[in-house]
DNA sequence: GTGTCGATAATCT
DNA sequence: GATTATCGACACG
């Protein structure tokens, strides 16, 4: 049916990748039930590397936590923050060009019942994946998934994957660009329009 | 619907 | 010891 997006998809300009990810599907193979969980990517943010004051690799920052961002494209960069949340990015561009796209929201499509068991507080479908830490919780993604190759079909040892749903990116008229969320500290980089979402989606971080 | 605030621990200084 | 690419609870109306 659908195939994983190839490495070449991710080895491009990060803004191009961010926009082209909208409408593609992030899935995880759940080890306990051996079923797929996931949804369509509807909101993302681009992080542009050593010059981007909001990026974890700003000023060529390179520590064990961000090592994945320095590696090859098409891998999952997962980080832990605020003492309780995980967020997932997709690496872009070649090794040593440490850029990535943060996945901020999904329109859940596969295995909503499993998502509800993981997201105890969720009352309705739009509570499941409408935020970067909500979707990792819904899919059961944590630090053990760091550096997973996203270009291979899901297996127990590489359970994350992004499937190609669309051949081409949505036309610009379908995509809204705004400043990124939660990066007010980033000075002149804070207002840059590097957050992208699908217009009219019902599953965004803030409606 | 909007706004404020506290939780909580990996990571780095 | 400080910081954090967030969330949910609660207040308000």
């Amino acid at each position: 049916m659908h195939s994983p997006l190839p490495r070449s998809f991710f080895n491009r300009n990060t803004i191009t990748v961010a926009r082209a990810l909208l409408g593609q599907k992030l899935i995880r193979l759940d080890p306990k039930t051996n079923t797929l969980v996931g949804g369509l990517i509807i909101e993302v943010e681009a992080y542009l590397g050593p010059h981007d004051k909001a990026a974890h690799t700003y000023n060529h920052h390179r520590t064990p936590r961000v090592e994945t961002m320095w590696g090859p494209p098409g891998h999952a960069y997962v980080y832990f923050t605020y003492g309780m949340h995980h967020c997932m990015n997709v690496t872009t561009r070649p090794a040593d060009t440490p850029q990535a796209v943060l996945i901020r929201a999904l329109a859940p499509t596969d295995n909503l019942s499993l998502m509800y068991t993981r997201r105890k507080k969720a009352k309705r479908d739009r509570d499941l994946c409408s935020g970067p830490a909500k979707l990792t919780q819904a899919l059961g993604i944590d630090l053990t998934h760091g550096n997973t190759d996203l270009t291979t079909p899901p297996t127990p040892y590489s359970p994350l994957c992004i499937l190609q749903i669309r051949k081409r990116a949505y036309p610009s008229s379908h995509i809204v660009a705004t400043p990124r969320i939660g990066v007010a500290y980033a000075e002149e980089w804070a207002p840059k329009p590097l957050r992208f979402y699908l217009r009219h989606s019902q599953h965004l971080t803030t409606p």
Side-chain angles (χ1 to χ4, degrees):
Chain A
M1 179 75 173
H2 299 294
S3 300
L5 287 163
R7 187 94 48 220
S8 56
F9 176 93
F10 301 100
N11 192 12
R12 294 186 290 168
N13 174 289
T14 301
I15 292 174
T16 301
V17 175
R19 299 174 68 102
L21 277 172
L22 297 174
Q24 314 295 3
K25 184 185 280 193
L26 173 65
I27 55 169
R28 181 197 176 209
L29 177 62
D30 180 66
K32 192 166 177 177
T33 60
N34 202 37
T35 57
L36 294 174
V37 211
L40 299 171
I41 297 169
I42 58 164
E43 179 180 342
V44 296
E45 286 175 356
Y47 286 87
L48 303 185
H51 305 291
D52 179 355
K53 291 184 177 177
H56 288 172
T57 51
Y58 173 59
N59 203 18
H60 295 84
H61 183 74
R62 186 166 185 167
T63 57
R65 178 172 81 140
V66 297
E67 187 57 30
T68 294
M69 281 190 71
W70 289 85
H75 289 252
Y77 164 49
V78 182
Y79 67 90
F80 182 79
T81 191
Y82 290 105
M84 58 191 105
H85 298 305
H86 298 276
C87 296
M88 180 188 152
N89 296 252
V90 182
T91 59
T92 62
R93 312 209 52 186
D96 295 319
T97 305
Q99 305 190 8
V101 176
L102 173 67
I103 311 297
R104 285 198 60 88
L106 307 176
T109 55
D110 293 48
N111 216 333
L112 297 245
S113 60
L114 179 55
M115 294 189 193
Y116 272 106
T117 66
R118 291 219 180 88
R119 298 260 316 125
K120 304 271 188 241
K121 312 280 172 62
K123 288 197 168 57
R124 47 208 194 289
D125 291 359
R126 57 186 259 216
D127 298 331
L128 292 173
C129 298
S130 55
K134 295 180 190 176
L135 72 91
T136 55
Q137 190 182 7
L139 270 57
I141 297 170
D142 59 32
L143 291 181
T144 66
H145 299 90
N147 208 34
T148 303
D149 188 350
L150 299 170
T151 67
T152 57
T155 68
Y157 294 102
S158 184
L160 290 174
C161 176
I162 299 181
L163 298 176
Q164 178 171 38
I165 304 299
R166 299 177 57 82
K167 196 70 177 172
R168 303 185 60 101
Y170 274 97
S172 294
S173 59
H174 292 235
I175 300 176
V176 182
T178 77
R180 293 170 293 185
I181 306 294
V183 299
Y185 59 84
E187 302 177 9
E188 76 274 18
W189 283 83
K192 290 183 188 289
L194 295 172
R195 171 180 177 239
F196 305 97
Y197 64 84
L198 285 180
R199 200 184 291 278
H200 306 313
S201 175
Q202 300 302 297
H203 302 268
L204 300 167
T205 55
T206 51

